[in-house]
PDB file of all heavy atoms in Angstrom:
ATOM      1  N   GLY N  66       0.304  51.388 -32.908  1.00  0.00           N
ATOM      2  CA  GLY N  66       0.498  51.874 -34.286  1.00  0.00           C
ATOM      3  C   GLY N  66      -0.653  52.834 -34.691  1.00  0.00           C
ATOM      4  O   GLY N  66      -1.503  53.122 -33.905  1.00  0.00           O
ATOM      5  N   ARG N 111      22.131  46.312 -32.004  1.00  0.00           N
ATOM      6  CA  ARG N 111      22.402  47.704 -31.955  1.00  0.00           C
ATOM      7  C   ARG N 111      23.899  48.082 -32.109  1.00  0.00           C
ATOM      8  O   ARG N 111      24.317  49.013 -32.721  1.00  0.00           O
ATOM      9  CB  ARG N 111      21.820  48.358 -30.679  1.00  0.00           C
ATOM     10  CG  ARG N 111      20.389  48.370 -30.538  1.00  0.00           C
ATOM     11  CD  ARG N 111      19.771  49.427 -31.513  1.00  0.00           C
ATOM     12  NE  ARG N 111      18.371  49.492 -31.364  1.00  0.00           N
ATOM     13  CZ  ARG N 111      17.683  50.426 -30.605  1.00  0.00           C
ATOM     14  NH1 ARG N 111      18.364  51.378 -29.991  1.00  0.00           N
ATOM     15  NH2 ARG N 111      16.392  50.420 -30.475  1.00  0.00           N
ATOM     16  N   TRP N 114      30.871  44.245 -31.273  1.00  0.00           N
ATOM     17  CA  TRP N 114      32.297  44.365 -31.226  1.00  0.00           C
ATOM     18  C   TRP N 114      32.995  43.010 -31.285  1.00  0.00           C
ATOM     19  O   TRP N 114      32.414  42.028 -30.793  1.00  0.00           O
ATOM     20  CB  TRP N 114      32.827  45.019 -29.887  1.00  0.00           C
ATOM     21  CG  TRP N 114      32.204  46.296 -29.638  1.00  0.00           C
ATOM     22  CD1 TRP N 114      32.555  47.574 -29.975  1.00  0.00           C
ATOM     23  CD2 TRP N 114      30.993  46.463 -28.772  1.00  0.00           C
ATOM     24  NE1 TRP N 114      31.647  48.456 -29.512  1.00  0.00           N
ATOM     25  CE2 TRP N 114      30.733  47.894 -28.695  1.00  0.00           C
ATOM     26  CE3 TRP N 114      30.155  45.688 -28.025  1.00  0.00           C
ATOM     27  CZ2 TRP N 114      29.671  48.462 -27.965  1.00  0.00           C
ATOM     28  CZ3 TRP N 114      29.127  46.211 -27.301  1.00  0.00           C
ATOM     29  CH2 TRP N 114      28.899  47.569 -27.253  1.00  0.00           C
ATOM     30  N   ALA N 147      18.976  51.919 -17.903  1.00  0.00           N
ATOM     31  CA  ALA N 147      18.052  51.276 -16.841  1.00  0.00           C
ATOM     32  C   ALA N 147      17.325  50.144 -17.434  1.00  0.00           C
ATOM     33  O   ALA N 147      16.798  49.305 -16.750  1.00  0.00           O
ATOM     34  CB  ALA N 147      17.166  52.283 -16.318  1.00  0.00           C
TER      35      ALA N 147
END
Side-chain angles (χ1 to χ4, degrees):
R111 291 287 182 101
W114 305 276

